[in-house]
Amino acid sequence: MAGGFDPSKDKVLQSWRSEETGLVVAIHSYDGGEAKLQIGPRMLKKKDGSDRAPVKAGRLTIEDVQWIYDNIDDIKDGLEEHNNPMD
């Protein structure tokens, strides 16, 4: 089989979720490679409070940007930690 994306090799190392907008920011590593940041998807809530199926993040609102700004130090620290585990 030709090479391609294999979901079983994609590992979520750490994630954050905005309760207000449902935006998810996560650190992923593919096949043991460098840890990288992914913005999205959105995990929106149903009326009963359960999660809907994930949707693309799309364009970011000012609320999304503010949430990322408020959490950027934790996100950056997590990314550094996963890329430099011995430091």
Side-chain angles (χ1 to χ4, degrees):
M1 181 176 149
F5 180 76
D6 180 352
S8 69
K9 294 181 179 181
D10 193 33
K11 305 294 182 222
V12 177
L13 305 176
Q14 195 170 356
S15 66
W16 297 262
R17 177 178 170 176
S18 168
E19 292 301 319
E20 183 179 342
T21 68
L23 184 67
V24 175
V25 173
I27 298 171
H28 289 251
S29 176
Y30 185 78
D31 199 19
E34 178 184 5
K36 296 180 181 178
L37 186 66
Q38 176 174 318
I39 298 176
R42 285 187 195 278
M43 298 294 297
L44 302 174
K45 298 279 187 186
K46 295 180 184 177
K47 288 181 182 180
D48 67 7
S50 63
D51 287 336
R52 291 178 34 192
V55 296
K56 288 184 179 181
R59 296 175 181 170
L60 302 182
T61 65
I62 188 66
E63 291 83 10
D64 291 324
V65 173
Q66 185 64 52
W67 177 80
I68 291 171
Y69 179 81
D70 291 345
N71 290 280
I72 199 67
D73 289 335
D74 288 338
I75 294 166
K76 179 180 158 284
D77 290 347
L79 194 56
E80 287 175 338
E81 180 180 309
H82 290 292
N83 279 318
N84 302 307
M86 296 304 211
D87 289 351

